[in-house]
Amino acid sequence: MKLSILGCHSATPRTNTNPTAQVLEIRNHMFLIDCGEGTQVELRRHKIKFVRIKHIFISHMHGDHYFGLVGLISTFRLLTREADLHIYCPKGLKEVITLQMKLADSWTNYKLIFHELDSNTSELIFEDDKVEVYTIPLDHRVYTNGFMFKEKDRDRKLDMNAILNRDIDVAYYRKLKQGFDIVDNKGELVENHSVTKPGRKPKSYAFCSDTAYNETIVPIIKGVDVLYHESTFLEQHKHLAEPTKHSTAIQAAEIAKRAEIGTLILGHYSTRYNDLECFRTEAQTIFDNVELAEDGKLFEF
Amino acid sequence: MKLSILGCHSATPRTNTNPTAQVLEIRNHMFLIDCGEGTQVELRRHKIKFVRIKHIFISHMHGDHYFGLVGLISTFRLLTREADLHIYCPKGLKEVITLQMKLADSWTNYKLIFHELDSNTSELIFEDDKVEVYTIPLDHRVYTNGFMFKEKDRDRKLDMNAILNRDIDVAYYRKLKQGFDIVDNKGELVENHSVTKPGRKPKSYAFCSDTAYNETIVPIIKGVDVLYHESTFLEQHKHLAEPTKHSTAIQAAEIAKRAEIGTLILGHYSTRYNDLECFRTEAQTIFDNVELAEDGKLFEF
C-alpha cells in the first residue's frame, strides 16, 4: 500500500504548497482522493500514469478539494483516453462538470460515470475482488465524506513442506490458497489449515478531511492501519477550529487513540504555519505514532 | 505598457508549461487576460498584488483559458478582498462560477460583476479617463473574443521655455496640458500649440487567442503597437489548424502584416513542439518584428 501526497495544505494553492490531492496505490488500483487545483501537474511530476486512474473520490465541494477535477477530466479527453472514469462525489459535482463541458462544446470520448453521494451513514461505494471502499460521513460546513479503503482477505500461503508430504495435484493449489479443503490423489480429505498458513494481513487506509472533531467516526475507522486526519490548526488557534468545522492536531490524535489505529498522518495544514513539526509535537502528547503529510511525500505501508 | 506572460501554451498545463494567462499593466491598471488553471500561483510567482487586479477578460469557454478563474475568485474571498471585481466573458461563465459558489455555500464578500458578452461585432466594453477596451470578435470553435486595449491621448507636454517667456499663471498649466488655449496675465490669448508639445503617443495592445486565420479583424487592430496572436501550429501541421480553428505562425504574421502593426508576439503553442524558435523563423518570412511569448517573460513597450 503506497500513498503519494500530491498536496496537503488548506485553502489556496501557493508557489510552495498545494491543496488536497493524494493517490493511494493498493492491490494494483490507483485511487485519486480529492483533486485541488494543480493536481494534474502534480500527477505528472510524480510520473503517475493518467490511464491508471480509474476511480476518483471527492470528499466535498470546497474548491481546495476539487477545483483541479474539471481540468483533469478535460486533459484525459485531449489525451484520447478510452478507459471509463468513475467519480464518487457529493451531489452537484456532475452538474458543475457537465455545464463546463457543454459550454466548451467538448464531451469526453470515454465514459464518465458519476456516483453522487448523499447518505449520512457509512456505505459501501466500491467493491471488486481485492478492495472495498466505504464512505465515512464527516462533520464539516458542507456535506462531506471521508473514505475508507480496505483490502479484502488475502490468499492463504501454501506450506510447501506439508503439501509435498501429501499426494496433491498442482491443479488444487489455487483452491487451497482460497481456503478450501480438497481431496488428494489417494482420495483422502486434506484439511486446508494442515497445508496452508494465513496470508498477509489485509491493509486498510482511512482518509478524513475536512472535519470537525467527530467521535461518531470512531467505530467506522476502528483499527485501521493508517489514518489521514486533517489538522488544520494548532492548539493556539483551537477557537478557529470550531466555527470553521476543522480539527486541531490534538483532536486528530484523540480520534486516532480512540479508534486504536496504527499510524496517524496529519495534513490539511492552515497556510499560517511555517513549522509543521509543531503539529507532530502536539499530536504526540495524545498518540505516539504520528507522521506529517508533506507535498511530494510517499508513504509505504 | 508592460505585459507579463504567465502562460502561453495550449491545451493542458504541464510541469514546464502553463495555459493562457497574461497581465497587461497600462496606465496604472493591471488587466488580467485569460486565466488558465494555475494562474493564481503564477500571479504569486510574479509578485503581482491580487488587489491590483480589478478587471479580468476571458476570451472563451475552453478550459485552458479559464479553469483557474474560480480558484482565483475563491482565493480573493479567503484573503478578505473588498474591491469590486469585474469579469468580461462569454455568456455562461457567470452560471459556472455561481453554481460552484452555491455548492460551497461560500459567497464573495466583495462585489463580483459579470459583463457577459454575446455581440459578434467589436464593442467598447471598458472605458475610463485613461484607457479603452474593445472586443475583437474571433473565429474559433466556440464564441470567442480577443481584446484591444487602447490608451487615450496623453496630456501635451509643457514647453517651459516658451511658457516662461509669457506671463502665465501656474493655475493654467493643467488646462494647457489638456490642449486648451488660455489667456495670460496681460489678457492676451495664448494659443496652446505655441507653449506645448505633443504628449507621448498613446500605446495600444491587441490580444487575439484563440482564432483561425481571420482577416475581418484587420480593420479593428489596424496599426496597433503590439499584437499577441495565437500560433498554435507550425506550417507542417497547417492541416490541423483549419479543423481546430487555430492559426499557424505564418497566418499570424500575415495578419500582422495586413494590419500594419508594430510588434507581433506569438503564443498558444501546441505542446507538441519543443523548439519555439521555429515559430519565429516561419513568421519572419512574412513579417519582421516577431517576438516569442514564453511563460514568465516580461515585455515592456
Side-chain angles (χ1 to χ4, degrees):
Chain A
M1 189 168 78
K2 290 183 193 171
L3 180 69
S4 299
I5 307 291
L6 308 183
C8 64
H9 294 263
S10 70
T12 71
R14 300 184 305 170
T15 50
N16 55 343
T17 65
N18 298 319
T20 303
Q22 45 186 253
V23 175
L24 179 70
E25 188 173 353
I26 184 171
R27 301 291 286 278
N28 222 21
H29 283 293
M30 295 287 253
F31 293 127
L32 176 60
I33 308 166
D34 279 348
C35 189
E37 184 173 349
T39 295
Q40 63 175 304
V41 173
E42 293 309 311
L43 286 171
R44 285 185 191 269
R45 209 186 303 281
H46 285 74
K47 302 194 189 310
I48 292 170
K49 284 206 175 7
F50 286 174
V51 76
R52 290 199 59 197
I53 295 173
K54 300 196 168 81
H55 303 271
I56 302 177
F57 299 84
I58 301 294
S59 63
H60 66 297
M61 295 299 288
H62 283 159
D64 55 334
H65 294 256
Y66 87 93
F67 279 167
L69 183 63
V70 66
L72 187 63
I73 288 172
S74 169
T75 292
F76 284 170
R77 181 182 61 77
L78 288 165
L79 300 177
T80 64
R81 177 191 178 103
E82 291 182 354
D84 295 356
L85 181 65
H86 292 266
I87 298 179
Y88 307 82
C89 58
K91 242 187 161 66
L93 184 55
K94 182 178 178 179
E95 188 184 351
V96 169
I97 302 293
T98 49
L99 174 60
Q100 290 177 90
M101 291 200 291
K102 186 181 132 196
L103 289 165
D105 196 17
S106 301
W107 302 94
T108 60
N109 32 8
Y110 56 92
K111 264 197 199 161
L112 185 58
I113 302 133
F114 289 90
H115 304 264
E116 291 198 314
L117 309 171
D118 58 5
S119 171
N120 289 310
T121 54
S122 177
E123 56 180 347
L124 178 67
I125 55 173
F126 171 84
E127 182 178 19
D128 67 2
D129 57 335
K130 300 195 183 84
V131 182
E132 290 172 337
V133 185
Y134 295 85
T135 57
I136 307 167
L138 299 176
D139 178 18
H140 195 43
R141 305 195 301 280
V142 293
Y143 176 75
T144 304
N145 286 299
F147 301 101
M148 166 96 138
F149 302 82
K150 292 173 89 161
E151 277 189 308
K152 288 190 172 175
D153 282 343
R154 301 195 65 123
D155 282 354
R156 294 182 66 82
K157 284 185 188 160
L158 302 181
D159 178 346
M160 290 312 293
N161 286 336
I163 282 182
L164 295 174
N165 284 335
R166 304 286 298 258
D167 190 7
I168 296 174
D169 197 290
V170 175
Y172 284 108
Y173 287 6
R174 179 102 199 94
K175 280 268 170 215
L176 286 170
K177 283 182 184 171
Q178 290 170 343
F180 293 99
D181 295 340
I182 53 125
V183 173
D184 69 10
N185 289 336
K186 294 176 189 152
E188 287 173 12
L189 179 74
V190 180
E191 286 183 282
N192 191 286
H193 66 87
S194 71
V195 293
T196 69
K197 294 171 183 170
R200 189 171 62 63
K201 190 177 160 280
K203 293 268 169 73
S204 56
Y205 172 68
F207 168 89
C208 295
S209 185
D210 297 354
T211 187
Y213 178 76
N214 177 18
E215 289 178 12
T216 66
I217 70 172
V218 169
I220 304 170
I221 63 171
K222 196 87 186 179
V224 76
D225 292 297
V226 182
L227 167 65
Y228 176 96
H229 194 291
E230 76 127 290
S231 58
T232 307
F233 297 110
L234 290 173
E235 211 50 20
Q236 62 180 136
H237 296 112
K238 194 179 173 179
H239 58 285
L240 297 177
E242 206 178 300
T244 59
K245 295 226 173 194
H246 283 299
S247 300
T248 63
I250 283 183
Q251 288 173 330
E254 186 64 37
I255 294 292
K257 185 181 171 189
R258 285 173 185 259
E260 297 168 1
I261 63 113
T263 302
L264 170 64
I265 303 178
L266 297 176
H268 201 265
Y269 317 110
S270 160
T271 50
R272 81 193 62 213
Y273 305 112
N274 290 320
D275 178 15
L276 300 182
E277 274 303 324
C278 299
F279 284 87
R280 193 202 307 264
T281 309
E282 292 196 358
Q284 282 184 334
T285 61
I286 305 290
F287 185 83
D288 270 347
N289 198 5
V290 177
E291 296 281 349
L292 297 178
E294 284 171 42
D295 295 2
K297 200 165 179 175
L298 174 70
F299 292 98
E300 298 197 51
F301 298 99
Chain B
M1 191 168 78
K2 288 183 194 171
L3 180 69
S4 300
I5 307 291
L6 308 182
C8 63
H9 294 263
S10 70
T12 72
R14 300 183 305 170
T15 49
N16 55 344
T17 65
N18 299 318
T20 303
Q22 44 185 254
V23 175
L24 179 71
E25 187 173 354
I26 183 169
R27 301 289 287 276
N28 223 22
H29 284 293
M30 296 287 251
F31 293 127
L32 175 60
I33 308 166
D34 279 347
C35 190
E37 183 171 350
T39 295
Q40 63 176 303
V41 172
E42 293 308 311
L43 287 169
R44 286 186 190 269
R45 210 186 302 280
H46 285 74
K47 300 193 191 311
I48 293 169
K49 283 205 173 11
F50 286 173
V51 77
R52 289 199 59 198
I53 294 172
K54 300 196 168 81
H55 303 271
I56 301 178
F57 300 84
I58 301 294
S59 62
H60 67 297
M61 295 299 287
H62 283 159
D64 54 333
H65 294 256
Y66 88 93
F67 280 167
L69 183 64
V70 66
L72 188 64
I73 288 171
S74 169
T75 292
F76 284 171
R77 181 182 60 77
L78 288 164
L79 299 177
T80 65
R81 177 190 178 105
E82 292 182 354
D84 295 356
L85 181 65
H86 293 264
I87 298 178
Y88 306 83
C89 58
K91 242 188 162 70
L93 185 55
K94 182 177 178 179
E95 187 183 353
V96 169
I97 302 294
T98 50
L99 174 61
Q100 289 177 90
M101 291 200 292
K102 186 181 133 197
L103 289 165
D105 196 18
S106 301
W107 302 95
T108 61
N109 33 8
Y110 56 91
K111 263 198 201 162
L112 185 58
I113 303 133
F114 289 89
H115 305 264
E116 291 197 313
L117 308 171
D118 57 6
S119 171
N120 289 311
T121 55
S122 178
E123 56 180 347
L124 178 68
I125 56 173
F126 171 83
E127 181 177 20
D128 69 2
D129 57 335
K130 298 195 184 83
V131 182
E132 290 172 336
V133 185
Y134 295 85
T135 56
I136 307 168
L138 299 177
D139 178 18
H140 195 43
R141 304 195 302 279
V142 294
Y143 177 75
T144 304
N145 285 300
F147 301 101
M148 165 97 138
F149 301 83
K150 291 172 88 163
E151 276 190 309
K152 288 189 171 174
D153 281 343
R154 301 195 67 124
D155 283 352
R156 295 183 66 82
K157 284 184 189 160
L158 301 181
D159 177 347
M160 288 313 293
N161 285 337
I163 282 181
L164 295 172
N165 283 336
R166 304 286 297 258
D167 190 6
I168 296 173
D169 197 289
V170 174
Y172 283 108
Y173 285 7
R174 179 100 201 95
K175 279 268 170 219
L176 286 171
K177 284 183 185 171
Q178 290 170 343
F180 293 100
D181 295 340
I182 54 125
V183 172
D184 70 12
N185 288 337
K186 294 176 188 149
E188 287 174 12
L189 179 74
V190 179
E191 285 184 285
N192 190 286
H193 67 85
S194 70
V195 294
T196 68
K197 294 171 182 168
R200 185 171 65 62
K201 190 178 159 282
K203 293 267 169 75
S204 55
Y205 172 68
F207 168 89
C208 294
S209 185
D210 297 352
T211 187
Y213 178 76
N214 176 17
E215 288 178 12
T216 67
I217 69 173
V218 169
I220 304 170
I221 62 171
K222 195 89 189 177
V224 76
D225 291 298
V226 182
L227 167 66
Y228 176 95
H229 193 291
E230 75 127 291
S231 58
T232 307
F233 297 110
L234 290 173
E235 211 49 19
Q236 58 177 309
H237 296 112
K238 194 178 173 180
H239 59 286
L240 297 177
E242 206 178 301
T244 59
K245 295 226 173 195
H246 283 300
S247 301
T248 63
I250 283 182
Q251 288 174 330
E254 186 65 38
I255 294 292
K257 184 182 172 189
R258 285 173 185 259
E260 296 169 4
I261 63 115
T263 302
L264 170 64
I265 303 178
L266 297 176
H268 201 267
Y269 317 109
S270 161
T271 51
R272 81 192 63 214
Y273 306 113
N274 290 319
D275 179 14
L276 300 182
E277 275 302 325
C278 299
F279 284 87
R280 193 201 307 264
T281 308
E282 291 196 357
Q284 281 183 334
T285 61
I286 306 288
F287 185 83
D288 268 348
N289 199 4
V290 178
E291 296 280 348
L292 297 178
E294 284 170 40
D295 295 2
K297 198 164 179 176
L298 173 70
F299 292 98
E300 298 198 51
F301 298 99

